Each structure stands twice: as structure tokens, then as C-alpha cells.
């Protein structure tokens, strides 16, 4: 069981979110990929004083990590964002629904642009992921029960023991080959619910150059997570 307490500042300007967990055996410190939020997880018996001292001892490390985090990008008219790996400019137009024309993403004038663009990306991600998962599952002789999309922060996809696949709809912003790799990765979990050598061999069978696409996500995934779609329309 995990609970959340009030946070605190370290180094004079770094806010820390404090969480307590009955399952934690030691103190852990992490910086979230999307918001750059510092999160300290404490075992239930650890004191706040111990936790604060633990974080204070790592202030220099926190500053280095936070300095590398991308600045949040807001979806608004004129914003340039990637769709399937290509930069497009969000442009208001007399259209009923969002669509790409050349290097522009046309959005209906007068509607909340962040909501419209997010809906477009969700639809595009679903349209790409379903056939990709169908294709890879057929090659392995496996079946999945359902596909769902979420705006996740800690992972690009997941697979449950009962064959349900989940993906981040932000994959629609990545090159199609990268999206296809993530689809193959999760489908491979239908055969191997771990990250064993057998799992990676299966992934390589489906996508021989998967390491290149995995590397792309590691290098560029932060930028996809930095985009903000709601509450910042204009």
C-alpha cells in the first residue's frame, strides 16, 4: 500500500513529493520523465528527517538530471509538433475534423486546440497499433484480448497475463517504425511475460532492428512526454 504525504523543498528550490510505501524496503529517489517531479519513496518506518537527509545528499545529482529535462511544450495554434516522426504546424482552418495537409495539421477553428489534437493522435495511434498488433500476434500464433490507449508516463506499453495490451497514444508522434517496435514488444510478452533472453529473441524475430527503435525512444521519448494538450489552448 502506498500513501502520499506533504512534500518539502531541498536545496532551497527543488520541490520533493513524498510517498510512503509498506512494500518499500529502502528509500528510493527518482525524477519523473514527463514533469521532472522529484519523488521520494519511504518505507513506512523511515522518518521524514532520514528522508530529507537522503535527498539533501543528492541535490547536485538532482540539479544535473533536472537540467536535462525538456521544457514543456504547449499545443496551440502555430505550434510545431511531430506526428509519425514528421514536424507539422498546428493550423486553424475551416475543417470539421483535424487532418494533415502537407506540413500542416489543420484543426477546426473555434474549438479547443489541445483537445482536438490529442483526440487526433489517439485516433491515429489506434489506427496504427491495431493492425500492427494483429500482424505480430499472427506471426507468433498468439492472440490478445483487447487494446487500450492511455496517456502513461512510466511506460510506452504493457501486456497483462490475460492478454490485454495497453499503449501510450503519444506513440502516434513517433516514427511509424518505432510504434511498430513497441507493438511487437508487447505482443512478444504474450509468449514471454518477462524480459528474458527468450523474450528478446522473440522481439528480434518480429523486428530484427528493434534495438535502433528502442534507442530512438530512449533518446527522444522525453520530448514526446513534454507536450501539454489540455488547459493551455490558444
Amino acid at each position: 500500500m502506498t500513501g502520499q504525504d506533504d512534500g518539502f523543498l531541498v536545496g532551497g528550490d527543488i520541490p520533493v513529493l513524498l510517498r510512503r510505501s509498506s512494500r518499500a524496503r529502502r528509500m528510493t529517489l527518482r525524477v519523473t520523465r514527463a514533469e521532472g517531479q522529484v519523488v521520494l519513496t519511504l518505507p513506512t518506518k523511515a522518518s521524514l528527517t532520514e528522508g530529507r537527509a537522503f535527498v539533501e545528499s543528492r541535490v547536485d545529482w538532482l540539479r544535473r538530471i533536472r537540467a536535462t529535462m525538456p521544457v514543456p511544450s504547449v499545443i496551440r495554434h502555430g505550434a510545431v509538433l511531430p506526428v509519425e516522426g514528421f514536424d507539422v504546424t498546428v493550423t486553424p482552418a475551416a475543417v470539421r475534423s483535424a487532418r494533415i495537409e502537407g506540413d500542416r495539421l489543420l484543426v477546426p477553428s473555434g474549438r479547443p486546440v489541445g483537445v482536438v489534437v490529442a483526440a487526433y493522435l489517439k485516433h491515429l495511434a489506434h489506427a496504427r497499433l491495431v493492425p500492427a498488433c494483429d500482424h505480430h500476434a499472427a506471426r507468433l500464433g498468439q492472440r490478445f484480448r483487447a487494446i487500450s490507449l492511455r496517456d502513461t508516463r512510466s511506460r510506452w506499453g504493457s501486456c497483462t497475463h490475460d492478454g490485454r495490451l495497453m499503449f501510450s497514444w503519444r506513440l502516434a508522434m513517433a516514427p511509424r517504425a518505432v510504434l511498430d517496435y513497441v507493438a511487437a514488444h508487447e505482443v512478444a510478452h504474450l509468449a514471454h511475460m518477462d524480459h528474458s533472453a527468450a523474450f528478446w529473441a522473440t522481439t528480434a524475430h518480429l523486428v530484427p532492428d528493434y534495438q535502433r527503435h528502442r534507442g530512438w525512444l530512449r533518446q527522444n521519448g522525453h520530448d514526446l512526454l513534454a507536450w501539454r494538450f489540455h488547459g493551455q489552448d490558444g
Side-chain angles (χ1 to χ4, degrees):
M1 181 177 180
T2 302
Q4 183 172 318
D5 298 330
D6 292 335
F8 54 87
L9 286 177
V10 295
D13 62 344
I14 302 177
V16 179
L17 179 65
L18 175 61
R19 291 177 176 168
R20 290 189 179 274
S21 173
S22 58
R23 293 178 294 182
R25 296 185 177 182
R26 58 186 178 86
M27 292 183 285
T28 59
L29 187 65
R30 67 185 179 92
V31 182
T32 61
R33 292 195 300 175
E35 296 87 5
Q37 173 68 61
V38 179
V39 182
L40 170 67
T41 301
L42 288 180
T44 52
K45 294 183 179 180
S47 71
L48 178 58
T49 300
E50 292 174 317
R52 183 186 292 273
F54 175 67
V55 181
E56 289 280 7
S57 70
R58 288 159 175 77
V59 166
D60 290 343
W61 174 79
L62 289 174
R63 292 195 190 285
R64 290 196 300 271
I65 294 297
R66 284 161 56 88
T68 65
M69 303 297 286
V71 177
S73 303
V74 178
I75 292 295
R76 55 168 55 98
H77 294 151
V80 178
L81 79 155
V83 175
E84 297 196 309
F86 298 98
D87 286 342
V88 296
T89 302
V90 179
T91 307
V95 294
R96 299 184 63 180
S97 59
R99 68 171 184 261
I100 287 181
E101 286 190 3
D103 61 355
R104 298 183 300 165
L105 174 57
L106 304 183
V107 297
S109 300
R111 292 182 58 189
V113 60
V115 175
V116 169
V117 174
Y120 174 81
L121 292 174
K122 292 173 188 177
H123 176 79
L124 181 60
H126 189 269
R128 300 292 189 235
L129 285 164
V130 170
C133 291
D134 283 340
H135 171 72
H136 293 306
R139 291 186 63 192
L140 294 184
Q142 298 284 342
R143 298 181 63 182
F144 57 90
R145 294 186 60 183
I147 289 179
S148 63
L149 300 179
R150 299 178 187 172
D151 191 11
T152 53
R153 290 291 188 268
S154 60
R155 59 182 63 186
W156 294 104
S158 63
C159 175
T160 64
H161 285 278
D162 61 352
R164 298 179 185 274
L165 305 179
M166 184 282 297
F167 298 95
S168 167
W169 51 261
R170 290 175 185 256
L171 285 168
M173 304 169 75
R176 288 186 65 173
V178 173
L179 177 146
D180 184 71
Y181 152 66
V182 178
H185 181 115
E186 300 310 329
V187 166
H189 278 310
L190 295 171
H192 305 282
M193 286 297 295
D194 52 31
H195 286 99
S196 61
F199 164 80
W200 288 114
T202 300
T203 303
H205 170 70
L206 296 174
V207 181
D209 59 345
Y210 79 86
Q211 291 183 340
R212 178 162 62 92
H213 308 309
R214 189 180 182 211
W216 189 95
L217 273 179
R218 286 181 170 178
Q219 182 174 353
N220 301 283
H222 294 318
D223 294 330
L224 305 188
L225 294 171
W227 283 97
R228 299 291 178 265
F229 294 85
H230 299 287
Q232 299 284 352
D233 296 320

